[in-house]
Amino acid sequence: MFTWSGLACLIFLNCALNWPVEAFPAPEEVNYTKKIKLSGLALDHKVTGDRFYTHVTTVGQRLSQKAPSLEDGSDAFMSSQDVRSTSENSPERSVPFRKSLCSPIFLWSLLTMGMTQLRIIFYMAAMNKMLEYLVTGGQEHEMNGQQQQKVAETVGFYSSIFGAMQLLCLLTCPLIGYIMDWRIKDCVDAPTQGTVLGDARDGVATKSIRPRYCKIQKLTNAINAFTLTNLLLVGFGITCLINNLHLQFVTFVLHTIVRGFFHSACGSLYAAVFPSNHFGTLTGLQSLISAVFALLQQPLFMAMVGPLKGEPFWVNLGLLLFSLLGFLLPSYLFYYRAWLRKEYTANGMGPLKVLSGSEVTA
């Protein structure tokens, strides 16, 4: 335990060494200014010897912006992302942290994560006692030394299997990442990106396809991820209630999958919903509250080995019913997604205009 505690202290050293000097910008908000040095693009004409400047692809966009030009004697152009970052980041940066902290999504996530953390950690703490009860049938004190030795060997074997199955997280964690990133590349941030124009020769506009907006798609993926995680958690709770020793292998698999799923799903949800400058604080606060909530495992364990005399049925049944509260978060996300779609339509973001002026609802 002292060795483990010493290694855990290296986390602080790791944070101190790897702490970035400047914050990393999110993919959606590049809040730093890119400068293109024109001195590197200056070329000499082979015949006249005159110097001229070359640029690529977005020169028309950049010339239309109010940026220093060559005639002004400047040696740098602002990139097209500078103007976009100014307009995009200001609303996000102006969101107060208190609003994110008191938002329903964050509060429901605290309940879901605290419940899941308690369920997962309690099983890890009480697994040996549960296995002993399954092997002995509650008759541990009535066995002789040889029988107790056999029980200890059986429990040790199942515990070692459970420990080896923790490597299953390496295979299951990419799955939840795939669910959270489902069809993100097909999404658009602005309606004009999803407009399909008609045939220019005929002058007829083709009806636009229904676009996928990035934020709505991320909410959809979060709903799917949390729903799947909660279904697996309920299945895990049901297998815990069945007094079948061989069925515990399924319980081990479900425990490992849920353990790898819920942290990744919560982090992806925070990244999709809240401003990026709030992500670290909200994630740390959620981890702290979940850890404090998980301390309830101690009174539950004492109740199981004390008044219940080692029988885990009633504790597992209570935790199974408590785990049903996890479906409240995806239910609220479903409501929030519907509200967001109405807002897009009301603000003119939903309908897509094509050449003929016809509109397609998003």
Side-chain angles (χ1 to χ4, degrees), residues 37-43 50-55 70 74-75:
K37 295 298 181 180
L38 296 179
S39 58
L41 300 175
L43 301 175
D50 296 335
R51 294 179 65 83
F52 65 96
Y53 293 86
T54 61
H55 213 300
L70 292 176
S74 176
D75 65 341

Side-chain angles (χ1 to χ4, degrees), residues 176-193:
I176 196 66
Y178 180 77
I179 295 175
M180 295 300 300
D181 293 337
W182 175 255
R183 308 199 73 171
I184 291 296
K185 293 183 179 180
D186 300 335
C187 298
V188 295
D189 293 327
T192 55
Q193 298 177 6

Side-chain angles (χ1 to χ4, degrees), residues 194-198 204-210 354 356 358-361:
T195 304
V196 178
L197 302 180
V204 179
T206 306
K207 188 177 181 179
S208 174
I209 62 174
R210 183 177 181 178
V354 291
S356 63
S358 60
E359 296 183 354
V360 180
T361 58

